[in-house]
Amino acid sequence: MYQFVLGKISTLCADPLASTLADRAPQGARNASWLAGRTLLARTLSPHPLPDIIYGEQGKPAFAKGDPLWFNLSHSGDDIALLMSDEGEVGCDIEVIRPRKNWQALANAVFSMTEHDELEREAPEERLSAFWRIWTRKEAIVKQRGGSAWQIVSIDSTAQTHAVSQLQVGSLSLAVCTSTPYTLTNESIIHVGTFGAEKSLTRPE
């Protein structure tokens, strides 16, 4: 079972639950995204308590050993995404489709030949969106593996060895990488508001 949840950082930070987590949040630039992520996790798992969270060698957060669930978080601008699984490690990435300085040079530096071919097949006015589409796929694969950002250059997101699914929702490019096949659709996305997700993940017994 997989669940993909979308929320707004500003909304989640205003959630009453966020105030109970605020004393654990890091200070500085990461404060809001950390708080929103923990609130999103807690709301999605409710009424079950939020398990202890540990970090892998490359800094990937995970529930403490023995918990039957895996998760991954990603944020861009005010948008935040959570992918939850009871089938194995997952990775997700969310990016606001936006102009980025030197994006073509970045694509030349980190995209594989087949990814370049995909980019070049697009009409010129669609290539920025295509850049973010490919970028989110690569990020999701790296995150599923628990790798670090520098490994993105070694990833070919078009390879059939990856269980990757992708979707564009408005100005958002979304991608997931899962342990077993999963298709991300508009209907499968759970949108969370101030009072929590529309439904919560059923924990395996």
Side-chain angles (χ1 to χ4, degrees), residues 5-7 12 17 21 35-45 73 80-82 84 192 197:
V5 189
L6 273 181
L12 287 160
L17 181 58
L21 301 167
L35 194 56
R38 291 300 188 275
T39 303
L40 187 55
L41 276 168
R43 286 299 186 196
T44 303
L45 289 169
L73 288 156
I80 188 166
L82 164 67
M84 194 86 74
V192 69

Side-chain angles (χ1 to χ4, degrees), residues 102-173:
N102 298 327
W103 68 266
Q104 291 171 309
L106 182 59
N108 289 335
V110 304
F111 283 9
S112 70
M113 290 297 295
T114 51
E115 289 167 341
H116 271 293
D117 290 344
E118 179 181 338
L119 190 63
E120 291 300 317
R121 285 195 299 270
E122 297 286 346
E125 65 272 16
E126 297 297 328
R127 286 180 186 165
L128 180 64
S129 292
F131 166 81
W132 287 114
R133 181 177 72 231
I134 297 166
W135 183 270
T136 53
R137 287 204 313 257
K138 291 170 80 73
E139 284 272 19
I141 293 167
V142 170
K143 293 177 72 178
Q144 194 261 352
R145 295 179 175 182
S148 58
W150 64 267
Q151 292 173 320
I152 198 168
V153 69
S154 65
I155 297 294
D156 180 0
S157 66
T158 66
Q160 298 302 309
T161 54
H162 308 301
V164 180
S165 182
Q166 189 152 34
L167 187 67
Q168 183 174 330
V169 177
S171 63
L172 296 177
S173 180

Side-chain angles (χ1 to χ4, degrees), residues 161-204:
T161 54
H162 308 301
V164 180
S165 182
Q166 189 152 34
L167 187 67
Q168 183 174 330
V169 177
S171 63
L172 296 177
S173 180
L174 315 171
V176 298
C177 184
T178 51
S179 300
T180 56
Y182 168 69
T183 301
L184 186 63
T185 66
N186 279 301
E187 293 71 28
S188 67
I189 296 175
I190 299 170
H191 294 270
V192 69
T194 304
F195 299 104
E198 295 171 2
K199 58 181 178 179
S200 61
L201 185 68
T202 302
R203 278 179 166 268

Side-chain angles (χ1 to χ4, degrees), residues 3-15:
Q3 282 194 339
F4 189 86
V5 189
L6 273 181
K8 295 287 187 181
I9 291 175
S10 55
T11 301
L12 287 160
C13 286
D15 189 297

Side-chain angles (χ1 to χ4, degrees), residues 61 79 89 93 197 201:
D79 294 281
E89 289 286 358
D93 192 49
L201 185 68

